[in-house]
């Protein structure tokens, strides 16, 4: 009788702990999120006072495992739609991004690397004894930005990139375009009824 009572009590304790453990299992959340963005991009080309108005489009694959910081891989392309009179610059870059969420604000820093192409307008760009029509180069693009979360899927985006391009048309051999992007970021949510991380 005593053994039966002990076994009944043990079964009750095990059953209660299993029920409590089942209730404490965290709800499934996305470990990876995807967002896509588009922006209008004024560019100070850093060559002969040139300016472009461009469009920028890109996407981020965001890893949400760390709560304080969020890391991402980003790709983006920038294409000029109003060239100015000196040169037009287009680029495609990719690289890591680190974001620090503060409420609805998502400040971030990134370091992007890729390729860029310069088309020199008019009759080309004369430097020394050479006339250049176009050139291409590696692009290094450290930057800072901010996403402001407006809705569960939509964020306002402001972004600044300080780029480095190697070109044959200046004495130093490099230029540093300043690329400013203002636009919107769309966050895809494949688990919306569980995930409220945005």
């Amino acid at each position: 009788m005593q053994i039966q009572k002990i076994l009944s009590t043990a079964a009750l304790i095990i059953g209660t702990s299993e029920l409590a453990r089942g209730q404490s299992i965290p709800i499934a959340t996305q470990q990876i999120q995807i967002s896509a963005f588009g922006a209008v991009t004024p560019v100070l080309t850093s060559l002969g006072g040139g300016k472009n108005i461009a469009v920028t489009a890109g996407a981020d694959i965001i890893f949400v495992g760390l709560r304080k910081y969020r890391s991402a891989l980003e790709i983006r392309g920038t294409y000029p739609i109003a060239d100015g009179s000196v040169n037009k610059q287009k680029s495609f870059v990719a690289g890591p991004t680190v974001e620090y969420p503060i409420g609805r604000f998502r400040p971030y820093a990134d370091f992007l690397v890729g390729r860029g192409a310069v088309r020199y307008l008019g009759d080309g760009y004369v430097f020394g004894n050479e006339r250049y029509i176009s050139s291409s180069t590696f692009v290094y693009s450290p930057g800072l930005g901010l996403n402001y979360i407006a809705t569960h899927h939509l964020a306002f985006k402001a972004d600044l990139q300080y780029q480095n391009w190697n070109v044959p048309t200046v004495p130093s051999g490099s230029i540093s375009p300043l690329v400013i992007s203002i636009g919107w970021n769309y966050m895809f949510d494949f688990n919306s009824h569980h995930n409220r991380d945005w």
Side-chain angles (χ1 to χ4, degrees):
M1 189 71 170
Q2 185 72 14
I3 292 176
Q4 186 178 5
K5 193 172 181 182
I6 290 171
L7 290 175
S8 297
T9 304
L12 180 64
I13 290 170
I14 291 169
T16 305
S17 67
E18 284 298 310
L19 179 62
R21 191 175 70 84
Q23 290 176 345
S24 68
I25 293 172
I27 294 174
T29 58
Q30 299 174 103
Q31 294 305 304
I32 293 178
Q33 295 170 338
I34 298 172
S35 68
F37 61 88
V40 174
T41 304
V43 180
L44 303 176
T45 67
S46 184
L47 182 65
K51 298 178 181 67
N52 294 166
I53 298 294
V55 291
T56 296
D60 291 278
I61 301 173
I62 304 154
F63 305 96
V64 297
L66 299 175
R67 278 325 201 180
K68 224 171 189 184
Y69 296 92
R70 291 157 48 105
S71 59
L73 290 176
E74 179 172 297
I75 57 170
R76 66 167 70 186
T78 299
Y79 189 84
I81 56 174
D83 307 331
S85 59
V86 179
N87 69 112
K88 63 178 182 180
Q89 298 174 354
K90 58 183 177 181
S91 63
F92 182 83
V93 291
T97 296
V98 178
E99 180 183 87
Y100 186 80
I102 306 170
R104 288 181 173 268
F105 294 93
R106 301 287 193 269
Y108 63 85
D110 57 29
F111 190 85
L112 310 176
V113 178
R115 294 290 293 175
V118 183
R119 175 80 177 170
Y120 304 99
L121 302 177
D123 295 327
Y125 196 87
V126 177
F127 179 70
N129 297 323
E130 301 289 335
R131 182 181 301 274
Y132 294 91
I133 304 301
S134 64
S135 62
S136 61
T137 178
F138 280 106
V139 174
Y140 302 96
S141 185
L144 298 170
L146 176 69
N147 290 316
Y148 175 77
I149 309 303
T151 71
H152 184 62
H153 288 286
L154 201 61
F156 172 76
K157 185 178 192 69
D159 183 274
L160 175 67
Q161 300 290 311
Y162 183 78
Q163 298 184 334
N164 182 271
W165 298 48
N166 292 325
V167 296
T169 54
V170 292
S172 66
S174 67
I175 56 174
S176 299
L178 196 60
V179 182
I180 304 159
S181 296
I182 304 293
W184 292 96
N185 195 14
Y186 183 84
M187 289 86 68
F188 296 92
D189 190 346
F190 305 107
N191 192 20
S192 60
H193 65 289
H194 290 314
N195 180 50
R196 290 291 180 235
D197 194 40
W198 297 106

